[in-house]
Amino acid sequence: MPETLGQLFQQAQADVVQLPKAPDNLVKLTLYGLYKQALEGDCLGKRPKAIDFVGRAKYDTWKSYFGLSQEEAQQRYVELVNQLKEEAMVE
């Protein structure tokens, strides 16, 4: 029986923490943005102050997915995690 997108998304969330090597910061931000878009939808809050570098980077990444459907964000998250898993097997 084929898995639903929701099930694949949940599995990808579990898989990403099991990777043998943590992704670089840019990939982590991408995963964060897709995750937030998939769960909460469009970013509507205020942008963090300039001194909050991490918060601002996370906000900007999530905001970059504005308008992307939650289903599409889930799909992209799953695809990115699968790509990371494949790369880990090659190394």
Side-chain angles (χ1 to χ4, degrees):
M1 179 162 135
E3 296 181 27
T4 67
L5 180 55
Q7 290 170 325
L8 292 171
F9 181 64
Q10 287 180 335
Q11 184 61 52
Q13 291 172 59
D15 290 347
V16 77
V17 297
Q18 300 297 323
L19 292 171
K21 184 174 113 182
D24 66 35
N25 288 339
L26 185 58
V27 173
K28 285 180 184 178
L29 280 172
T30 302
L31 287 166
Y32 174 83
L34 288 169
Y35 176 83
K36 292 291 278 185
Q37 187 70 19
L39 291 184
E40 298 183 32
D42 291 335
C43 177
L44 302 174
K46 292 176 92 174
R47 189 173 190 221
K49 296 185 190 270
I51 61 169
D52 182 1
F53 301 112
V54 173
R56 195 167 250 225
K58 287 179 171 183
Y59 177 92
D60 290 346
T61 301
W62 181 13
K63 190 79 167 179
S64 73
Y65 294 109
F66 193 89
L68 186 70
S69 74
Q70 288 178 277
E71 293 78 16
E72 180 63 24
Q74 285 183 7
Q75 183 62 45
R76 289 188 188 183
Y77 184 95
V78 168
E79 289 170 359
L80 179 53
V81 171
N82 286 339
Q83 177 185 343
L84 293 170
K85 286 170 43 181
E86 287 177 22
E87 289 171 3
M89 288 192 301
V90 171
E91 294 178 353

